Amino acid sequence: MVEQVTLYRAPTTEADADTIAAWLAERIDAEVRVRDRFLSRYADGDLPEELADVRVLDPYERETGNTMLGIVRYEERALEHPERAGGVIYDGQALQRLLHHRTPADERSLSHLHVPLLDRVVGTWGGHDGRWHKRVNVLGQPALVSVPGLYEAPAKPERYYKEQQKHAMLSGDAPPREVLEEQVDGEFLVADDPRTTEALKGYILQAYHYLSTGEAFCDEKGCRLHNAHRQPAVVVAQLHGTEFCPRHAERYRPSA
Ligand SMILES: [Zn+2]
C-alpha cells in the first residue's frame, strides 16, 4: 500500500513537478509531496565516480562505466550544473540502485514512493536485441522519470530523421524545430516542448500504479498508463482525448 509519494524537481527542464503533484494528488489515495532536485539534495562525494561507472559507453555494449579522472570530473560538474550535462545515457537500473542508497533510510519502504524527475537520459539493456534502449521511466523504488527521455526515447516519425539528415548534409547543423514540424507528418515532442509537464503526468502515475498494483502498463492506446514506443503514440496516450481507458478511469477518477 503506497501511502506517500515524493516527487523531486528537475529545475533546468520544462517539467513542473508541482503541477504534476497536484494532478496526482487528485487521483490517488496517497499523500503527494514535492522536494527539490534529488541529485542536489542527496549527492555525496562518491556519487560522481559511481555515475561515471554506470554510463553507457556504446549502444551495443552491455558493459558500462568509465571512471577515468576526466569523466569523474565531468560528473562532478554535471551534478552542480545540470544545464551543462548532456549526450550521455546511464544504465537506468544501476542508477536506480545508486539513488536508492541515497534515499533517507527511514523512507525506503514501498509505502513511500520516491520519483526523482531527472535531467539525465536513462536506458535499459535489451537482452533480446543486444542494445541499450532509452526510457522515459524506470519503474520501481525509486522510480526514475527522465525529462530528456520523453523527447528522445519514443521514436519520432521516420521522416523526421530523414529531414534531419538532409539538413545536416546541406548546412552542417540541426534544422530548426519549426522546419521539422512543417515537413514531418505525425505528432511528436521536441526538446523543451511546452507540453512536457502534461505529457509526464501519465509516466509518474505509471510509477505509482506499478508499486500499488504490480501491473506495469496498460495495453489501451488512449490510456495514460500506456507505454508508447513511438512519439505519435505518446501524444495519443498523454495529450489527446480521454485520459484513461474505462478500467483505469474508474480507478483514477479525480476526487472533487
Ligand atoms: Zn488503462
Side-chain angles (χ1 to χ4, degrees), residues 92-93 96 115-118 122-124 133-140 142-147 149-150 153-154 199-208 210 216-217 224-228 238:
Q93 282 162 333
Q96 193 171 42
V115 188
L117 300 185
L118 296 176
V122 297
T124 55
H133 296 267
K134 293 177 185 176
R135 298 286 177 206
V136 187
N137 58 13
V138 179
L139 304 179
L144 311 183
V145 175
S146 164
V147 183
L150 176 67
L200 282 178
K201 289 174 180 173
Y203 288 93
I204 286 143
L205 184 65
Q206 287 169 12
Y208 170 84
Y210 178 65
F217 301 107
R224 286 229 189 223
L225 300 176
H226 185 65
N227 181 25
Q238 304 299 343

Side-chain angles (χ1 to χ4, degrees), residues 68-113:
M68 278 162 52
L69 194 60
I71 305 284
V72 175
R73 289 270 182 272
Y74 167 95
E75 293 296 345
E76 281 171 3
R77 285 195 300 273
L79 281 170
E80 281 173 36
H81 305 285
E83 66 283 357
R84 290 166 60 185
V88 181
I89 306 174
Y90 299 86
D91 175 340
Q93 282 162 333
L95 180 60
Q96 193 171 42
R97 287 190 292 274
L98 298 185
L99 300 193
H100 187 262
H101 296 317
R102 288 168 173 88
T103 307
D106 58 347
E107 296 183 357
R108 283 181 203 163
S109 87
L110 297 183
S111 66
H112 186 162
L113 169 64

Side-chain angles (χ1 to χ4, degrees), residues 18 30 53 58 113 117 119 160 172 190 211 229 237 250:
D18 297 85
D53 197 40
D58 178 321
L113 169 64
L117 300 185
D119 42 49
Y160 175 93
V190 290
L211 217 59
H229 295 292
E250 180 70 27

Side-chain angles (χ1 to χ4, degrees), residues 150-172:
L150 176 67
Y151 318 129
E152 297 179 28
K156 294 191 175 69
E158 261 339 277
R159 184 72 195 269
Y160 175 93
Y161 300 104
K162 287 204 178 109
E163 287 297 325
Q164 204 177 31
Q165 236 173 11
K166 203 167 82 186
H167 195 93
M169 269 164 54
L170 295 174
S171 70

Side-chain angles (χ1 to χ4, degrees), residues 43-62:
D44 51 40
D46 296 331
L47 189 59
E49 188 167 346
E50 291 178 27
L51 283 171
D53 197 40
V54 303
R55 278 175 165 229
V56 172
L57 304 175
D58 178 321
Y60 299 97
E61 194 61 62
R62 173 72 186 87

Side-chain angles (χ1 to χ4, degrees), residues 218 220 223 225 245 248:
C218 177
E220 300 285 337
C223 182
L225 300 176
C245 68
H248 292 124

